[in-house]
């Protein structure tokens, strides 16, 4: 793997970035120390395992064809020490210090002349827990692919990769950027089909967009370029208990919990509840089994979060109904299909249209709520057990909050990323998440134990 064109959606994420709106995904992985844990050994382990992942040795370079395009190329001067660093936290509460620093590090865009990723080993002066903060540019991977890449640092995945026998193939001669006549004809026919699909998806996006944006909520704000991180954990069995009693999916329950937490938080702030439900963009993977592993394969569903509804069970019913309606329509309908539309546009459109597209996000949705799948098996780094993984999503222009969820070790871990100045009380919103699931559980009808 030496040269590979960026797919259209990857190119869109690459050009959407600005200093105030870095387009990287993140995850804060927290570990329990094992006896004899040595920070320098962990740092070396992170570096050697990251360097062994071919995708992390690639950087972006402009190309002549297609016009406005870019390609992934192997960085011949790759030095893993530019990407893996150690930071010793100040004394005090470990999680408080780790999340504070992670928020500050998430503010910083990734260097565009290097492979676009960073890892930070965050440890305390004593023998307590430590964390690894991973930053991957969204052009490099979507959530599912980011997990697959990041998992390479864990003992279990790295050991399996070392044991795997790799069949050596004959080298493939470099391919010209200029297509042959038959390939050019095929590309032209494919392009006509792409145009037809783009028109259909584009019409759906336009119909679902909002032109009246006068109603402001705490979820919308002019970006300050700062980032704040807060975390929350929920019991996965309690989520499943609610799902079994009320129907739908575990994701429906979590979306309803997010809606209820937003309601609590807004009322506690003294905010008036919005007249229209804030729109959540819920990303949907379009990956096919056995399909291409790299790049972004995304669409999304739009869901009105029923923060105006007082009854938690009714909020869950409304979320379930909305998601059922989305699934019946499919991922090519509604403003959430904007990622599919981006995948149909030529490279030049992304290069020059990215600033306009970024500013239009507010017309499409108010908040991103995404679920990131994790391996179910127990994981470790250098023999240190993984305790939790808090995923982090990027913020769109004009929006002040993004919510990412993952499940590991019987717990649902939630990462809340916010504009630091717009939402200084983000910790209170994290607490409201716990309160909302607790209340939803207490309102359930008593289910008799099985005989």
């Amino acid at each position: 793997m030496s040269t590979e064109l960026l797919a259209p959606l990857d190119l869109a994420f690459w050009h959407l970035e600005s200093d105030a709106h870095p387009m990287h995904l993140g995850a804060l992985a927290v570990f329990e120390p094992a006896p004899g844990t040595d920070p320098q050994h962990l740092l070396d382990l992170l570096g050697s395992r990251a360097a062994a992942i071919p995708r992390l040795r690639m950087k972006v370079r402009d190309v002549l064809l297609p016009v406005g395009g870019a390609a992934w190329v192997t960085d011949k001067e790759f030095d893993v020490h530019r990407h893996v660093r150690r930071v010793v936290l100040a004394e005090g509460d470990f999680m408080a210090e780790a999340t504070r620093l992670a928020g500050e590090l998430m503010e910083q865009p990734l260097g565009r002349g290097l492979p676009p990723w960073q890892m930070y080993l965050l440890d305390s002066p004593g023998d307590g827990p430590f964390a690894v903060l991973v930053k991957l540019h969204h052009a490099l991977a979507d959530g599912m692919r980011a997990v697959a890449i990041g998992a390479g640092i864990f003992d279990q995945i790295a050991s399996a990769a070392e044991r795997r026998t790799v069949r050596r193939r004959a080298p493939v001669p470099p391919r010209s950027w200029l297509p042959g006549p038959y390939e050019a004809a095929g590309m032209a026919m494919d392009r006509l089909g792409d145009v037809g699909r783009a028109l259909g998806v584009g019409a759906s996006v336009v119909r679902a967009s909002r032109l009246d944006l006068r109603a402001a909520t705490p979820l919308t704000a002019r970006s300050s370029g700062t980032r704040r991180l807060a975390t929350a954990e929920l019991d996965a069995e309690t989520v499943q208990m609610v799902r079994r009693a009320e129907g739908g999916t575990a994701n429906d329950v979590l979306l309803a919990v997010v809606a209820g937490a937003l309601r609590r938080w807004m009322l506690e702030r003294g905010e008036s509840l919005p007249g229209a439900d804030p729109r959540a963009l819920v990303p949907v993977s379009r990956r096919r089994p056995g399909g291409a592993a790299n790049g972004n394969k995304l669409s999304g569903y739009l869901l009105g979060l029923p923060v105006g509804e007082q009854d938690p069970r009714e909020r869950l019913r409304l979320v379930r109904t909305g998601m059922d309606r989305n699934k019946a329509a499919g991922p090519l309908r509604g403003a959430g299909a904007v990622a599919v539309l981006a995948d149909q546009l030529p490279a030049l459109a992304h290069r020059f249209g990215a600033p306009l597209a970024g500013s239009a996000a507010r017309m499409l949705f108010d908040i991103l709520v995404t679920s990131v799948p994790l391996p179910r098996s127990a994981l470790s780094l250098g023999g240190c057990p993984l305790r939790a993984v808090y995923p982090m999503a990027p913020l769109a222009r004009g929006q002040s909050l993004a919510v990412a969820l993952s499940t590991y070790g019987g717990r649902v871990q939630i990462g809340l990323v916010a504009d630091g100045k717009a939402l200084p009380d983000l910790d209170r919103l994290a607490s409201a998440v716990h309160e909302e699931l607790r209340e939803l559980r207490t309102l359930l009808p008593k289910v008799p134990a099985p005989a």
Side-chain angles (χ1 to χ4, degrees):
M1 181 172 61
S2 59
T3 303
E4 173 193 334
L5 283 175
L6 268 72
L9 185 53
D10 303 343
L11 196 61
F13 285 128
W14 187 250
H15 289 307
L16 277 170
E17 183 168 68
S18 67
D19 288 343
H21 297 90
M23 290 301 299
H24 49 254
L25 310 170
L28 184 66
V30 182
F31 298 84
E32 290 290 351
T37 299
D38 177 31
Q40 185 59 48
H41 171 68
L42 293 173
L43 190 67
D44 293 341
L45 198 60
L46 279 175
S48 63
R49 289 179 177 174
I53 300 172
R55 197 68 180 170
L56 297 185
R57 304 175 72 95
M58 308 288 282
K59 65 180 181 179
V60 175
R61 186 191 71 186
D62 290 342
V63 296
L64 295 177
L65 293 174
V67 178
W72 292 107
V73 298
T74 300
D75 184 358
K76 296 180 180 180
E77 299 179 354
F78 176 78
D79 181 357
V80 75
H81 298 99
R82 296 176 176 176
H83 301 268
V84 180
R85 302 170 186 173
R86 180 191 177 199
V87 180
V88 179
L89 302 175
E91 293 185 0
D93 181 86
F94 172 78
M95 278 306 299
E97 283 298 311
T99 53
R100 179 194 61 77
L101 181 59
E104 293 178 1
L105 292 172
M106 288 296 287
E107 294 178 7
Q108 303 170 12
L110 293 162
R112 294 176 77 86
L114 299 172
W117 64 276
Q118 292 282 350
M119 290 186 189
Y120 296 89
L121 174 65
L122 311 179
D123 64 334
S124 49
D127 298 326
F130 67 92
V132 175
L133 173 67
V134 180
K135 293 168 56 176
L136 294 173
H137 199 285
H138 212 330
L140 185 67
D142 55 25
M144 291 184 67
R145 182 60 182 155
V147 170
I149 293 174
I153 70 171
F154 295 114
D155 298 336
Q156 294 75 10
I157 311 299
S159 297
E162 291 171 1
R163 292 193 301 267
R164 191 178 302 122
T165 300
V166 180
R167 295 182 179 178
R168 296 187 178 274
R169 298 179 179 179
V172 178
R175 183 180 178 183
S176 170
W177 292 111
L178 296 174
Y182 293 106
E183 187 178 1
M187 290 172 63
M189 294 301 294
D190 289 343
R191 198 67 219 156
L192 288 175
D194 290 345
V195 170
R197 285 190 292 273
L199 289 174
V201 175
S204 179
V205 170
V206 170
R207 285 195 298 270
S209 300
R210 301 168 301 184
L211 299 180
D212 185 0
L213 302 177
R214 290 173 296 179
T217 74
L219 304 179
T220 60
R222 184 181 298 275
S223 175
S224 67
T226 61
R227 293 293 180 267
R228 183 181 296 268
L229 170 67
T231 62
E233 281 197 24
L234 303 176
D235 178 59
E237 179 53 34
T238 301
V239 173
Q240 292 294 341
M241 190 180 302
V242 174
R243 179 196 63 79
R244 289 191 292 268
E246 297 292 309
T249 67
N251 202 48
D252 294 341
V253 176
L254 293 172
L255 287 166
V257 167
V258 170
L262 287 172
R263 174 187 170 86
R264 290 170 180 269
W265 173 70
M266 289 179 184
L267 291 175
E268 209 172 82
R269 279 178 135 219
E271 302 273 356
S272 299
L273 295 176
D277 292 335
R279 275 181 168 184
L281 176 64
V282 183
V284 178
S285 175
R286 295 191 295 122
R287 291 189 180 278
R288 297 178 180 176
N294 296 322
N296 286 267
K297 297 292 181 183
L298 291 172
S299 183
Y301 293 139
L302 280 181
L303 176 71
L305 296 177
V307 299
E309 173 56 50
Q310 184 174 1
D311 180 13
R313 292 180 67 190
E314 178 62 13
R315 279 199 296 271
L316 176 53
R317 188 194 69 79
L318 291 171
V319 166
R320 187 175 66 244
T321 301
M323 287 302 288
D324 287 346
R325 187 164 52 245
N326 278 329
K327 293 170 187 175
L332 301 183
R333 293 291 180 269
V338 67
V340 181
L341 176 61
D343 224 7
Q344 309 297 329
L345 297 178
L348 199 60
H350 290 301
R351 183 174 292 272
F352 293 106
L356 179 62
S359 300
R362 176 73 180 89
M363 297 174 61
L364 305 178
F365 62 97
D366 302 293
I367 180 175
L368 176 73
V369 184
T370 182
S371 295
V372 181
L374 293 179
R376 296 184 179 181
S377 58
L379 300 171
S380 61
L381 174 64
C384 302
L386 176 65
R387 188 176 78 188
V389 180
Y390 301 98
M392 289 171 274
L395 291 180
R397 284 181 175 86
Q399 296 170 356
S400 55
L401 177 66
V403 181
L405 312 97
S406 62
T407 301
Y408 176 79
R411 307 287 292 175
V412 179
Q413 281 119 22
I414 304 174
L416 306 170
V417 176
D419 184 282
K421 291 187 177 179
L423 273 66
D425 55 345
L426 189 62
D427 289 338
R428 179 60 206 123
L429 178 58
S431 298
V433 171
H434 294 277
E435 296 164 6
E436 181 62 21
L437 181 61
R438 187 183 309 121
E439 181 175 358
L440 189 55
R441 171 65 185 92
T442 60
L443 294 175
L444 294 180
K446 300 298 180 182
V447 179

